[in-house]
Amino acid sequence: MTATKKSSLVAPVVVLTVIAFAIAAILAFVNDLTAPVIKAQEEAAAQAALLEVMPDGTDFTDVTGLELPENVVKIQKAGNGAGYVFTTYGKGFGGNIQVMVGIDPEGAITGTKVLTHGESAGISDPVVGDGSEFQQQLPGVTDPAQIEAVSGATKSSNGMIAAIEAAFDALALVNAE
Amino acid sequence: MKKECQKQSGLDILLRGIIKENPVLVLVLGTCPSMATSTSVSTAVGMGLAATMVLLCSNMLISLLRKVIPDTVRIPCYIVVIAGFVTVVQMLVQAYFKDLYDSLGVFLPLIVVNCIILGRAEMFASKNGVFHSALDGLGMGLGFTLTLTVMGTIREVLGSGSFAGHDLPFFSEYNIPILSQSPGGFFVFGCLIALVAKLTHGRVKHEDTGCGACPHRTVCGKLGKEA
């Protein structure tokens, strides 16, 4: 009787532990295989996004040592002097819209790309979609007040404008440095 | 509880998941990912195949281990096995199908808590042999994939006017945007449930109430007994 009681206590622990270890071993093996591929892909994707918002830029490096304003996530500088790329966010209809904004040394936008957003599918496409109506008006803009919102997607537009304003604020900060 | 269920042919087990016991439309499991990932055909197919892969592997492994796993810790064991396979699939998709990984987002890791997979482990794989469990996993997975594909096609063609990302003539000008949002998912879901109920009406004999009316009755093995 005691023997069965003991085994009914020990067996579950042993079995669960062995299964957990076996699964962990499989995961470690697969991770070894896929981790380099994933890393290379992420770097390529980040590089491609940078080139999309600033086609002339090369050798991007992170700007460090600045106290970043609240809405600014990251500032990257083009090594060849083509300008800065700001990763900022603004509040849209469904949470924050995270945007990459490229600004050249004259203070004009070179390009924008929405990284993440939670806007309604379909309705927000003219604002957050790649190459959308809203974003086509942006290259060359030097003052966020010139940007026109898209009717039907006002909140999404305002979120984008807020993100772009944050980028200009950050630009002032970088230039003052 | 561990005794084999009534004799079933392999083909029957495989085909059962597609209409008669379709996991989404008859068993009403895995509703959340079905709503969320059926906004376009390509994500729907991707999600379906990823879940099928996990279902097949977890059903086989759990069936293999069914005599070893003690009853008291069976659910943690199933979850560990399922989570392991989901993570493997997730890493593979992230490495080799980046676009699909981006469009599935959080729903790929959420396959871990997909009721279909845990449900089949508990209802079927823990009581049946490896071969039958593999067939069951494949059948249920294909049923899931098929449902998602049908939902995805309806929602993408009528909602966004495209098919697998390609714009269609006529539909791209006259579309119903609400179908590509959450309420539209429920509309399509309800219509498909009604359709499947109509198709199977009268062919699947079962009682109207009680244990005999349960969609799981054919695999449960406890028909008429207290649960």
Side-chain angles (χ1 to χ4, degrees):
Chain A
M1 194 64 201
T2 36
T4 48
K5 209 169 185 186
K6 222 175 219 168
S7 80
S8 74
L9 275 177
V10 174
V13 179
V14 172
V15 171
L16 186 52
T17 313
V18 168
I19 290 178
F21 269 110
I23 295 287
I26 295 172
L27 287 185
F29 174 71
V30 178
N31 186 41
D32 263 5
L33 282 182
T34 54
V37 184
I38 294 171
K39 191 155 182 286
Q41 235 166 24
E42 278 172 357
E43 277 165 12
Q47 208 60 35
L50 281 170
L51 282 180
E52 207 168 310
V53 298
M54 189 165 282
D56 302 331
T58 52
D59 306 326
F60 289 97
T61 49
D62 286 8
V63 175
T64 50
L66 280 176
E67 188 151 331
L68 295 179
E70 200 191 337
N71 292 349
V72 180
V73 180
K74 196 153 105 179
I75 304 177
Q76 282 152 300
K77 183 183 199 274
N80 61 353
Y84 292 92
V85 174
F86 302 91
T87 306
T88 59
Y89 58 86
K91 194 175 181 309
F93 180 73
N96 287 327
I97 308 174
Q98 193 163 340
V99 196
M100 261 182 154
V101 186
I103 302 180
D104 67 15
E106 279 82 54
I109 295 177
T110 56
T112 53
K113 183 175 171 61
V114 174
L115 299 178
T116 58
H117 71 88
E119 305 303 286
S120 316
I123 292 172
S124 67
D125 286 351
V127 176
V128 297
D130 283 338
S132 63
E133 184 190 337
F134 182 86
Q135 290 182 57
Q136 275 171 14
Q137 64 167 328
L138 294 176
V141 166
T142 53
D143 177 5
Q146 298 166 355
I147 303 170
E148 279 181 33
V150 172
S151 80
T154 311
K155 289 213 167 189
S156 304
S157 303
N158 287 345
M160 285 287 285
I161 293 172
I164 293 163
E165 277 169 353
F168 276 98
D169 291 347
L171 178 70
L173 201 74
V174 173
N175 286 341
E177 192 65 5
Chain B
M1 186 193 150
K2 289 275 160 68
K3 82 172 187 341
E4 302 275 320
C5 283
Q6 62 265 49
K7 284 274 165 277
Q8 301 164 94
S9 80
L11 193 67
D12 186 48
I13 293 175
L14 183 68
L15 294 180
R16 198 174 52 196
I18 294 175
I19 289 277
K20 209 169 85 184
E21 280 181 32
N22 184 299
V24 185
L25 299 175
V26 179
L27 306 184
V28 200
L29 296 174
T31 316
C32 173
S34 316
M35 293 293 166
T37 59
S38 64
T39 47
S40 75
V41 178
S42 45
T43 54
V45 173
M47 176 70 187
L49 293 181
T52 305
M53 187 70 205
V54 174
L55 193 50
L56 182 61
C57 296
S58 70
N59 255 13
M60 282 167 72
L61 187 60
I62 287 168
S63 173
L64 264 179
L65 296 173
R66 72 187 189 280
K67 300 232 164 71
V68 186
I69 297 176
D71 251 12
T72 42
V73 290
R74 63 182 197 285
I75 301 290
C77 289
Y78 299 163
I79 291 284
V80 170
V81 168
I82 294 166
F85 282 121
V86 170
T87 316
V88 167
V89 167
Q90 187 192 349
M91 289 193 283
L92 292 175
V93 171
Q94 189 179 4
Y96 301 107
F97 306 96
K98 191 72 173 59
D99 290 342
L100 181 64
Y101 179 80
D102 289 336
S103 57
L104 286 180
V106 74
F107 291 99
L108 191 55
L110 277 184
I111 296 178
V112 174
V113 287
N114 188 316
C115 319
I116 299 173
I117 292 161
L118 190 60
R120 293 329 283 179
E122 170 78 4
M123 297 297 303
F124 198 93
S126 63
K127 299 169 196 165
N128 289 278
V130 177
F131 181 61
H132 279 181
S133 296
L135 286 179
D136 179 72
L138 200 60
M140 285 291 159
L142 289 180
F144 183 58
T145 312
L146 192 71
T147 313
L148 280 182
T149 310
V150 171
M151 280 180 78
T153 308
I154 296 174
R155 292 180 68 186
E156 194 183 348
V157 170
L158 298 181
S160 324
S162 58
F163 183 80
H166 303 289
D167 278 350
L168 297 174
F170 180 75
F171 287 109
S172 54
E173 288 170 53
Y174 303 98
N175 53 29
I176 314 169
I178 199 169
L179 281 184
S180 57
Q181 294 164 34
S182 338
F186 282 100
F187 296 157
V188 175
F189 189 46
C191 293
L192 287 181
I193 290 182
L195 182 69
V196 168
K198 175 79 183 159
L199 284 178
T200 55
H201 183 72
R203 294 199 199 150
V204 184
K205 285 208 165 54
H206 60 80
E207 294 161 34
D208 292 333
T209 55
C211 206
C214 172
H216 290 293
R217 66 197 168 279
T218 49
V219 284
C220 170
K222 287 187 193 168
L223 187 59
K225 293 175 211 154
E226 288 295 322

